mmCIF file of all heavy atoms in Angstrom:
data_model
loop_
_atom_site.group_PDB
_atom_site.id
_atom_site.type_symbol
_atom_site.label_atom_id
_atom_site.label_comp_id
_atom_site.label_asym_id
_atom_site.label_seq_id
_atom_site.Cartn_x
_atom_site.Cartn_y
_atom_site.Cartn_z
ATOM 1 N N ALA A 1 -3.108 0.938 22.189
ATOM 2 C CA ALA A 1 -2.053 0.327 22.995
ATOM 3 C C ALA A 1 -0.846 1.245 23.108
ATOM 4 O O ALA A 1 -0.250 1.393 24.191
ATOM 5 C CB ALA A 1 -1.651 -1.017 22.388
ATOM 6 N N LEU A 2 -0.468 1.879 21.993
ATOM 7 C CA LEU A 2 0.672 2.796 22.060
ATOM 8 C C LEU A 2 0.343 4.009 22.915
ATOM 9 O O LEU A 2 1.183 4.467 23.704
ATOM 10 C CB LEU A 2 1.091 3.247 20.662
ATOM 11 C CG LEU A 2 2.245 4.269 20.654
ATOM 12 C CD1 LEU A 2 3.488 3.702 21.329
ATOM 13 C CD2 LEU A 2 2.573 4.715 19.244
ATOM 14 N N ASP A 3 -0.866 4.527 22.786
ATOM 15 C CA ASP A 3 -1.243 5.682 23.605
ATOM 16 C C ASP A 3 -1.158 5.350 25.091
ATOM 17 O O ASP A 3 -0.712 6.174 25.897
ATOM 18 C CB ASP A 3 -2.663 6.146 23.247
ATOM 19 C CG ASP A 3 -2.721 6.901 21.926
ATOM 20 O OD1 ASP A 3 -1.658 7.341 21.443
ATOM 21 O OD2 ASP A 3 -3.828 7.052 21.373
ATOM 22 N N LYS A 4 -1.571 4.140 25.467
ATOM 23 C CA LYS A 4 -1.465 3.726 26.874
ATOM 24 C C LYS A 4 0.002 3.643 27.297
ATOM 25 O O LYS A 4 0.375 4.094 28.396
ATOM 26 C CB LYS A 4 -2.140 2.382 27.111
ATOM 27 C CG LYS A 4 -2.104 1.941 28.574
ATOM 28 C CD LYS A 4 -2.767 0.603 28.791
ATOM 29 C CE LYS A 4 -2.866 0.275 30.289
ATOM 30 N NZ LYS A 4 -1.585 0.379 31.001
ATOM 31 N N THR A 5 0.833 3.092 26.432
ATOM 32 C CA THR A 5 2.261 3.008 26.730
ATOM 33 C C THR A 5 2.862 4.394 26.903
ATOM 34 O O THR A 5 3.636 4.634 27.830
ATOM 35 C CB THR A 5 2.992 2.236 25.617
ATOM 36 O OG1 THR A 5 2.748 0.834 25.786
ATOM 37 C CG2 THR A 5 4.490 2.457 25.653
ATOM 38 N N LEU A 6 2.481 5.320 26.033
ATOM 39 C CA LEU A 6 3.005 6.688 26.136
ATOM 40 C C LEU A 6 2.532 7.359 27.424
ATOM 41 O O LEU A 6 3.302 8.080 28.074
ATOM 42 C CB LEU A 6 2.586 7.510 24.914
ATOM 43 C CG LEU A 6 3.239 7.114 23.590
ATOM 44 C CD1 LEU A 6 2.640 7.923 22.442
ATOM 45 C CD2 LEU A 6 4.749 7.319 23.628
ATOM 46 N N ARG A 7 1.275 7.114 27.804
ATOM 47 C CA ARG A 7 0.783 7.671 29.075
ATOM 48 C C ARG A 7 1.552 7.078 30.251
ATOM 49 O O ARG A 7 1.969 7.795 31.159
ATOM 50 C CB ARG A 7 -0.715 7.390 29.236
ATOM 51 C CG ARG A 7 -1.624 8.211 28.335
ATOM 52 C CD ARG A 7 -3.068 8.151 28.796
ATOM 53 N NE ARG A 7 -3.592 6.779 28.846
ATOM 54 C CZ ARG A 7 -4.164 6.161 27.831
ATOM 55 N NH1 ARG A 7 -4.284 6.781 26.667
ATOM 56 N NH2 ARG A 7 -4.627 4.928 27.970
ATOM 57 N N ASP A 8 1.734 5.758 30.226
ATOM 58 C CA ASP A 8 2.444 5.106 31.327
ATOM 59 C C ASP A 8 3.888 5.601 31.436
ATOM 60 O O ASP A 8 4.399 5.837 32.534
ATOM 61 C CB ASP A 8 2.435 3.589 31.133
ATOM 62 C CG ASP A 8 1.066 2.967 31.387
ATOM 63 O OD1 ASP A 8 0.186 3.664 31.933
ATOM 64 O OD2 ASP A 8 0.888 1.787 31.034
ATOM 65 N N LEU A 9 4.540 5.739 30.290
ATOM 66 C CA LEU A 9 5.938 6.168 30.275
ATOM 67 C C LEU A 9 6.087 7.695 30.372
ATOM 68 O O LEU A 9 7.207 8.198 30.488
ATOM 69 C CB LEU A 9 6.628 5.667 29.004
ATOM 70 C CG LEU A 9 6.809 4.149 28.899
ATOM 71 C CD1 LEU A 9 7.365 3.770 27.518
ATOM 72 C CD2 LEU A 9 7.722 3.619 29.999
ATOM 73 N N GLN A 10 4.965 8.407 30.295
ATOM 74 C CA GLN A 10 4.938 9.874 30.357
ATOM 75 C C GLN A 10 5.815 10.487 29.264
ATOM 76 O O GLN A 10 6.611 11.395 29.511
ATOM 77 C CB GLN A 10 5.357 10.364 31.751
ATOM 78 C CG GLN A 10 4.448 9.838 32.860
ATOM 79 C CD GLN A 10 4.732 10.446 34.215
ATOM 80 O OE1 GLN A 10 4.854 11.671 34.322
ATOM 81 N NE2 GLN A 10 4.827 9.624 35.262
ATOM 82 N N LEU A 11 5.625 9.968 28.045
ATOM 83 C CA LEU A 11 6.380 10.419 26.883
ATOM 84 C C LEU A 11 5.449 10.867 25.778
ATOM 85 O O LEU A 11 4.291 10.447 25.705
ATOM 86 C CB LEU A 11 7.275 9.277 26.361
ATOM 87 C CG LEU A 11 8.309 8.689 27.319
ATOM 88 C CD1 LEU A 11 9.009 7.509 26.660
ATOM 89 C CD2 LEU A 11 9.330 9.751 27.738
ATOM 90 N N ASP A 12 5.968 11.715 24.892
ATOM 91 C CA ASP A 12 5.206 12.150 23.723
ATOM 92 C C ASP A 12 5.422 11.231 22.530
ATOM 93 O O ASP A 12 4.606 11.196 21.616
ATOM 94 C CB ASP A 12 5.608 13.579 23.326
ATOM 95 C CG ASP A 12 5.254 14.600 24.394
ATOM 96 O OD1 ASP A 12 4.201 14.432 25.048
ATOM 97 O OD2 ASP A 12 6.033 15.549 24.596
ATOM 98 N N TYR A 13 6.533 10.524 22.539
ATOM 99 C CA TYR A 13 6.842 9.597 21.448
ATOM 100 C C TYR A 13 7.704 8.476 21.975
ATOM 101 O O TYR A 13 8.324 8.583 23.038
ATOM 102 C CB TYR A 13 7.563 10.326 20.297
ATOM 103 C CG TYR A 13 8.961 10.796 20.648
ATOM 104 C CD1 TYR A 13 10.075 9.992 20.431
ATOM 105 C CD2 TYR A 13 9.162 12.059 21.208
ATOM 106 C CE1 TYR A 13 11.358 10.422 20.764
ATOM 107 C CE2 TYR A 13 10.436 12.498 21.554
ATOM 108 C CZ TYR A 13 11.527 11.677 21.329
ATOM 109 O OH TYR A 13 12.791 12.094 21.660
ATOM 110 N N ILE A 14 7.743 7.396 21.224
ATOM 111 C CA ILE A 14 8.598 6.252 21.534
ATOM 112 C C ILE A 14 9.638 6.160 20.424
ATOM 113 O O ILE A 14 9.340 6.443 19.263
ATOM 114 C CB ILE A 14 7.752 4.961 21.639
ATOM 115 C CG1 ILE A 14 8.403 3.948 22.582
ATOM 116 C CG2 ILE A 14 7.497 4.337 20.301
ATOM 117 C CD1 ILE A 14 8.071 4.206 24.014
ATOM 118 N N ASP A 15 10.857 5.813 20.764
ATOM 119 C CA ASP A 15 11.898 5.732 19.734
ATOM 120 C C ASP A 15 11.739 4.498 18.859
ATOM 121 O O ASP A 15 12.053 4.528 17.667
ATOM 122 C CB ASP A 15 13.283 5.731 20.392
ATOM 123 C CG ASP A 15 13.565 7.042 21.093
ATOM 124 O OD1 ASP A 15 14.001 7.994 20.428
ATOM 125 O OD2 ASP A 15 13.323 7.121 22.313
ATOM 126 N N LEU A 16 11.232 3.410 19.454
ATOM 127 C CA LEU A 16 11.064 2.161 18.708
ATOM 128 C C LEU A 16 9.893 1.398 19.305
ATOM 129 O O LEU A 16 9.838 1.180 20.521
ATOM 130 C CB LEU A 16 12.341 1.320 18.803
ATOM 131 C CG LEU A 16 12.322 -0.068 18.164
ATOM 132 C CD1 LEU A 16 12.107 0.027 16.644
ATOM 133 C CD2 LEU A 16 13.627 -0.820 18.458
ATOM 134 N N TYR A 17 8.949 0.989 18.438
ATOM 135 C CA TYR A 17 7.782 0.225 18.870
ATOM 136 C C TYR A 17 7.762 -1.079 18.095
ATOM 137 O O TYR A 17 7.792 -1.083 16.865
ATOM 138 C CB TYR A 17 6.506 1.024 18.619
ATOM 139 C CG TYR A 17 5.299 0.560 19.406
ATOM 140 C CD1 TYR A 17 5.400 0.268 20.764
ATOM 141 C CD2 TYR A 17 4.051 0.437 18.795
ATOM 142 C CE1 TYR A 17 4.290 -0.128 21.493
ATOM 143 C CE2 TYR A 17 2.940 0.035 19.513
ATOM 144 C CZ TYR A 17 3.061 -0.248 20.877
ATOM 145 O OH TYR A 17 1.957 -0.655 21.600
ATOM 146 N N LEU A 18 7.726 -2.191 18.833
ATOM 147 C CA LEU A 18 7.845 -3.509 18.229
ATOM 148 C C LEU A 18 6.576 -4.332 18.410
ATOM 149 O O LEU A 18 5.920 -4.241 19.453
ATOM 150 C CB LEU A 18 9.000 -4.288 18.869
ATOM 151 C CG LEU A 18 10.375 -3.629 18.929
ATOM 152 C CD1 LEU A 18 11.344 -4.520 19.715
ATOM 153 C CD2 LEU A 18 10.906 -3.373 17.530
ATOM 154 N N ILE A 19 6.253 -5.161 17.415
ATOM 155 C CA ILE A 19 5.278 -6.226 17.622
ATOM 156 C C ILE A 19 5.993 -7.289 18.445
ATOM 157 O O ILE A 19 6.976 -7.867 17.990
ATOM 158 C CB ILE A 19 4.782 -6.815 16.286
ATOM 159 C CG1 ILE A 19 4.035 -5.750 15.471
ATOM 160 C CG2 ILE A 19 3.878 -8.019 16.538
ATOM 161 C CD1 ILE A 19 3.567 -6.253 14.101
ATOM 162 N N HIS A 20 5.505 -7.548 19.655
ATOM 163 C CA HIS A 20 6.246 -8.370 20.610
ATOM 164 C C HIS A 20 6.410 -9.813 20.142
ATOM 165 O O HIS A 20 7.481 -10.400 20.286
ATOM 166 C CB HIS A 20 5.524 -8.338 21.964
ATOM 167 C CG HIS A 20 6.412 -8.633 23.123
ATOM 168 N ND1 HIS A 20 6.218 -8.098 24.375
ATOM 169 C CD2 HIS A 20 7.517 -9.407 23.246
ATOM 170 C CE1 HIS A 20 7.148 -8.522 25.204
ATOM 171 N NE2 HIS A 20 7.952 -9.321 24.541
ATOM 172 N N TRP A 21 5.351 -10.398 19.614
ATOM 173 C CA TRP A 21 5.375 -11.772 19.086
ATOM 174 C C TRP A 21 4.467 -11.854 17.860
ATOM 175 O O TRP A 21 3.465 -11.150 17.801
ATOM 176 C CB TRP A 21 4.858 -12.772 20.135
ATOM 177 C CG TRP A 21 5.831 -13.176 21.181
ATOM 178 C CD1 TRP A 21 6.004 -12.589 22.401
ATOM 179 C CD2 TRP A 21 6.768 -14.259 21.131
ATOM 180 N NE1 TRP A 21 6.987 -13.230 23.107
ATOM 181 C CE2 TRP A 21 7.461 -14.265 22.354
ATOM 182 C CE3 TRP A 21 7.074 -15.222 20.168
ATOM 183 C CZ2 TRP A 21 8.463 -15.200 22.643
ATOM 184 C CZ3 TRP A 21 8.058 -16.161 20.467
ATOM 185 C CH2 TRP A 21 8.737 -16.141 21.683
ATOM 186 N N PRO A 22 4.780 -12.727 16.911
ATOM 187 C CA PRO A 22 3.901 -12.894 15.740
ATOM 188 C C PRO A 22 2.732 -13.826 16.048
ATOM 189 O O PRO A 22 2.382 -14.701 15.250
ATOM 190 C CB PRO A 22 4.843 -13.496 14.689
ATOM 191 C CG PRO A 22 5.812 -14.289 15.491
ATOM 192 C CD PRO A 22 6.030 -13.509 16.766
ATOM 193 N N VAL A 23 2.157 -13.668 17.224
ATOM 194 C CA VAL A 23 1.025 -14.475 17.676
ATOM 195 C C VAL A 23 -0.059 -13.528 18.167
ATOM 196 O O VAL A 23 0.229 -12.560 18.879
ATOM 197 C CB VAL A 23 1.433 -15.412 18.837
ATOM 198 C CG1 VAL A 23 0.229 -16.189 19.350
ATOM 199 C CG2 VAL A 23 2.530 -16.362 18.408
ATOM 200 N N ARG A 24 -1.312 -13.811 17.793
ATOM 201 C CA ARG A 24 -2.422 -12.989 18.265
ATOM 202 C C ARG A 24 -3.211 -13.753 19.316
ATOM 203 O O ARG A 24 -3.442 -14.960 19.177
ATOM 204 C CB ARG A 24 -3.340 -12.612 17.098
ATOM 205 C CG ARG A 24 -4.473 -11.674 17.499
ATOM 206 C CD ARG A 24 -5.309 -11.273 16.291
ATOM 207 N NE ARG A 24 -6.424 -10.439 16.681
ATOM 208 C CZ ARG A 24 -7.343 -9.974 15.835
ATOM 209 N NH1 ARG A 24 -7.254 -10.270 14.542
ATOM 210 N NH2 ARG A 24 -8.339 -9.232 16.278
ATOM 211 N N MET A 25 -3.622 -13.047 20.364
ATOM 212 C CA MET A 25 -4.438 -13.626 21.421
ATOM 213 C C MET A 25 -5.719 -12.833 21.578
ATOM 214 O O MET A 25 -5.795 -11.658 21.199
ATOM 215 C CB MET A 25 -3.657 -13.660 22.740
ATOM 216 C CG MET A 25 -2.436 -14.554 22.705
ATOM 217 S SD MET A 25 -1.590 -14.636 24.291
ATOM 218 C CE MET A 25 -0.244 -15.747 23.881
ATOM 219 N N LYS A 26 -6.722 -13.482 22.142
ATOM 220 C CA LYS A 26 -8.022 -12.847 22.318
ATOM 221 C C LYS A 26 -7.897 -11.570 23.129
ATOM 222 O O LYS A 26 -7.162 -11.510 24.113
ATOM 223 C CB LYS A 26 -8.982 -13.800 23.026
ATOM 224 C CG LYS A 26 -9.357 -15.033 22.227
ATOM 225 C CD LYS A 26 -10.254 -15.949 23.060
ATOM 226 C CE LYS A 26 -10.575 -17.224 22.302
ATOM 227 N NZ LYS A 26 -11.375 -18.155 23.145
ATOM 228 N N LYS A 27 -8.619 -10.556 22.713
ATOM 229 C CA LYS A 27 -8.617 -9.283 23.419
ATOM 230 C C LYS A 27 -9.039 -9.492 24.865
ATOM 231 O O LYS A 27 -10.048 -10.143 25.150
ATOM 232 C CB LYS A 27 -9.569 -8.297 22.733
ATOM 233 C CG LYS A 27 -9.598 -6.915 23.347
ATOM 234 C CD LYS A 27 -8.288 -6.183 23.134
ATOM 235 C CE LYS A 27 -8.366 -4.749 23.673
ATOM 236 N NZ LYS A 27 -7.055 -4.057 23.545
ATOM 237 N N GLY A 28 -8.245 -8.944 25.773
ATOM 238 C CA GLY A 28 -8.575 -9.043 27.184
ATOM 239 C C GLY A 28 -8.154 -10.326 27.855
ATOM 240 O O GLY A 28 -8.297 -10.467 29.073
ATOM 241 N N SER A 29 -7.608 -11.284 27.101
ATOM 242 C CA SER A 29 -7.194 -12.554 27.696
ATOM 243 C C SER A 29 -5.908 -12.370 28.494
ATOM 244 O O SER A 29 -5.120 -11.459 28.243
ATOM 245 C CB SER A 29 -7.014 -13.627 26.625
ATOM 246 O OG SER A 29 -5.958 -13.294 25.739
ATOM 247 N N VAL A 30 -5.722 -13.250 29.445
ATOM 248 C CA VAL A 30 -4.541 -13.197 30.302
ATOM 249 C C VAL A 30 -3.829 -14.546 30.228
ATOM 250 O O VAL A 30 -4.471 -15.598 30.251
ATOM 251 C CB VAL A 30 -4.916 -12.887 31.760
ATOM 252 C CG1 VAL A 30 -3.680 -12.880 32.646
ATOM 253 C CG2 VAL A 30 -5.647 -11.553 31.846
ATOM 254 N N GLY A 31 -2.524 -14.524 30.131
ATOM 255 C CA GLY A 31 -1.766 -15.760 30.059
ATOM 256 C C GLY A 31 -1.589 -16.227 28.627
ATOM 257 O O GLY A 31 -2.055 -15.597 27.681
ATOM 258 N N ARG A 32 -0.932 -17.389 28.491
ATOM 259 C CA ARG A 32 -0.580 -17.892 27.173
ATOM 260 C C ARG A 32 -1.232 -19.245 26.896
ATOM 261 O O ARG A 32 -0.657 -20.110 26.258
ATOM 262 C CB ARG A 32 0.938 -18.005 27.046
ATOM 263 C CG ARG A 32 1.654 -16.697 27.376
ATOM 264 C CD ARG A 32 3.151 -16.801 27.249
ATOM 265 N NE ARG A 32 3.812 -15.603 27.749
ATOM 266 C CZ ARG A 32 5.107 -15.404 27.686
ATOM 267 N NH1 ARG A 32 5.901 -16.323 27.165
ATOM 268 N NH2 ARG A 32 5.649 -14.301 28.159
ATOM 269 N N LYS A 33 -2.452 -19.415 27.400
ATOM 270 C CA LYS A 33 -3.166 -20.664 27.200
ATOM 271 C C LYS A 33 -3.581 -20.807 25.743
ATOM 272 O O LYS A 33 -3.892 -19.823 25.072
ATOM 273 C CB LYS A 33 -4.390 -20.715 28.111
ATOM 274 C CG LYS A 33 -4.049 -20.683 29.598
ATOM 275 C CD LYS A 33 -5.303 -20.681 30.450
ATOM 276 C CE LYS A 33 -4.957 -20.633 31.933
ATOM 277 N NZ LYS A 33 -6.179 -20.567 32.777
ATOM 278 N N VAL A 34 -3.627 -22.049 25.265
ATOM 279 C CA VAL A 34 -3.920 -22.292 23.868
ATOM 280 C C VAL A 34 -5.288 -21.762 23.470
ATOM 281 O O VAL A 34 -5.493 -21.300 22.342
ATOM 282 C CB VAL A 34 -3.792 -23.801 23.544
ATOM 283 C CG1 VAL A 34 -4.822 -24.616 24.306
ATOM 284 C CG2 VAL A 34 -3.902 -24.044 22.043
ATOM 285 N N GLU A 35 -6.236 -21.782 24.396
ATOM 286 C CA GLU A 35 -7.582 -21.307 24.042
ATOM 287 C C GLU A 35 -7.626 -19.801 23.800
ATOM 288 O O GLU A 35 -8.595 -19.278 23.242
ATOM 289 C CB GLU A 35 -8.591 -21.679 25.126
ATOM 290 C CG GLU A 35 -8.265 -21.181 26.517
ATOM 291 C CD GLU A 35 -7.544 -22.223 27.347
ATOM 292 O OE1 GLU A 35 -6.823 -23.066 26.761
ATOM 293 O OE2 GLU A 35 -7.698 -22.203 28.585
ATOM 294 N N ASN A 36 -6.570 -19.098 24.213
ATOM 295 C CA ASN A 36 -6.510 -17.649 23.975
ATOM 296 C C ASN A 36 -5.886 -17.300 22.627
ATOM 297 O O ASN A 36 -5.972 -16.153 22.178
ATOM 298 C CB ASN A 36 -5.709 -16.968 25.080
ATOM 299 C CG ASN A 36 -6.391 -17.038 26.426
ATOM 300 O OD1 ASN A 36 -7.609 -17.156 26.504
ATOM 301 N ND2 ASN A 36 -5.610 -16.973 27.501
ATOM 302 N N ILE A 37 -5.234 -18.265 21.987
ATOM 303 C CA ILE A 37 -4.548 -17.996 20.724
ATOM 304 C C ILE A 37 -5.532 -18.053 19.571
ATOM 305 O O ILE A 37 -6.316 -18.995 19.446
ATOM 306 C CB ILE A 37 -3.413 -19.008 20.494
ATOM 307 C CG1 ILE A 37 -2.400 -18.945 21.634
ATOM 308 C CG2 ILE A 37 -2.717 -18.750 19.156
ATOM 309 C CD1 ILE A 37 -1.303 -19.992 21.555
ATOM 310 N N VAL A 38 -5.518 -17.021 18.733
ATOM 311 C CA VAL A 38 -6.391 -16.957 17.559
ATOM 312 C C VAL A 38 -5.526 -16.675 16.328
ATOM 313 O O VAL A 38 -4.390 -16.219 16.450
ATOM 314 C CB VAL A 38 -7.467 -15.866 17.722
ATOM 315 C CG1 VAL A 38 -8.416 -16.208 18.867
ATOM 316 C CG2 VAL A 38 -6.826 -14.497 17.950
ATOM 317 N N PRO A 39 -6.039 -16.965 15.126
ATOM 318 C CA PRO A 39 -5.256 -16.697 13.913
ATOM 319 C C PRO A 39 -4.841 -15.229 13.819
ATOM 320 O O PRO A 39 -5.614 -14.333 14.143
ATOM 321 C CB PRO A 39 -6.227 -17.079 12.783
ATOM 322 C CG PRO A 39 -7.134 -18.085 13.405
ATOM 323 C CD PRO A 39 -7.320 -17.618 14.822
ATOM 324 N N SER A 40 -3.621 -15.020 13.394
ATOM 325 C CA SER A 40 -3.105 -13.652 13.282
ATOM 326 C C SER A 40 -3.217 -13.133 11.864
ATOM 327 O O SER A 40 -3.384 -13.887 10.910
ATOM 328 C CB SER A 40 -1.640 -13.604 13.724
ATOM 329 O OG SER A 40 -0.838 -14.374 12.851
ATOM 330 N N ASN A 41 -3.148 -11.819 11.748
ATOM 331 C CA ASN A 41 -3.090 -11.158 10.441
ATOM 332 C C ASN A 41 -2.031 -10.068 10.555
ATOM 333 O O ASN A 41 -2.346 -8.893 10.750
ATOM 334 C CB ASN A 41 -4.450 -10.573 10.057
ATOM 335 C CG ASN A 41 -4.477 -10.078 8.616
ATOM 336 O OD1 ASN A 41 -3.471 -9.598 8.095
ATOM 337 N ND2 ASN A 41 -5.628 -10.186 7.966
ATOM 338 N N ILE A 42 -0.783 -10.491 10.479
ATOM 339 C CA ILE A 42 0.329 -9.564 10.677
ATOM 340 C C ILE A 42 0.301 -8.392 9.683
ATOM 341 O O ILE A 42 0.573 -7.249 10.076
ATOM 342 C CB ILE A 42 1.675 -10.311 10.616
ATOM 343 C CG1 ILE A 42 1.778 -11.323 11.773
ATOM 344 C CG2 ILE A 42 2.841 -9.338 10.674
ATOM 345 C CD1 ILE A 42 1.710 -10.719 13.153
ATOM 346 N N PRO A 43 -0.032 -8.609 8.393
ATOM 347 C CA PRO A 43 -0.078 -7.465 7.487
ATOM 348 C C PRO A 43 -1.038 -6.364 7.953
ATOM 349 O O PRO A 43 -0.708 -5.166 7.857
ATOM 350 C CB PRO A 43 -0.532 -8.083 6.165
ATOM 351 C CG PRO A 43 -0.008 -9.478 6.221
ATOM 352 C CD PRO A 43 -0.182 -9.888 7.659
ATOM 353 N N ASN A 44 -2.204 -6.738 8.472
ATOM 354 C CA ASN A 44 -3.142 -5.723 8.957
ATOM 355 C C ASN A 44 -2.619 -5.029 10.208
ATOM 356 O O ASN A 44 -2.758 -3.807 10.359
ATOM 357 C CB ASN A 44 -4.503 -6.364 9.253
ATOM 358 C CG ASN A 44 -5.324 -6.586 7.995
ATOM 359 O OD1 ASN A 44 -4.939 -6.170 6.909
ATOM 360 N ND2 ASN A 44 -6.455 -7.263 8.136
ATOM 361 N N THR A 45 -2.023 -5.793 11.098
ATOM 362 C CA THR A 45 -1.420 -5.196 12.290
ATOM 363 C C THR A 45 -0.299 -4.242 11.891
ATOM 364 O O THR A 45 -0.163 -3.144 12.448
ATOM 365 C CB THR A 45 -0.867 -6.291 13.223
ATOM 366 O OG1 THR A 45 -1.919 -7.189 13.571
ATOM 367 C CG2 THR A 45 -0.280 -5.696 14.487
#
């Protein structure tokens, strides 16, 4: 995900990278529907 962001922004590094929300959603899902929300593991992330 960071590599894609760096490609999009055409940068070699980012000054600050944040976990946007403490919620995990299914890979490839779109939107914020409840069926897309799965248990998170913030320590591993």
Side-chain angles (χ1 to χ4, degrees):
L2 177 59
D3 285 343
K4 182 180 187 307
T5 283
L6 291 175
R7 287 195 302 272
D8 288 348
L9 293 174
Q10 301 187 48
L11 301 175
D12 296 324
Y13 68 90
I14 208 84
D15 295 276
L16 176 63
Y17 199 45
L18 307 175
I19 296 177
H20 204 149
W21 280 92
V23 177
R24 184 177 177 182
M25 296 183 180
K26 294 177 183 176
K27 183 68 176 176
S29 64
V30 178
R32 306 180 188 184
K33 298 178 181 177
V34 64
E35 57 265 29
N36 293 335
I37 301 175
V38 295
S40 64
N41 189 327
I42 296 299
N44 281 354
T45 303

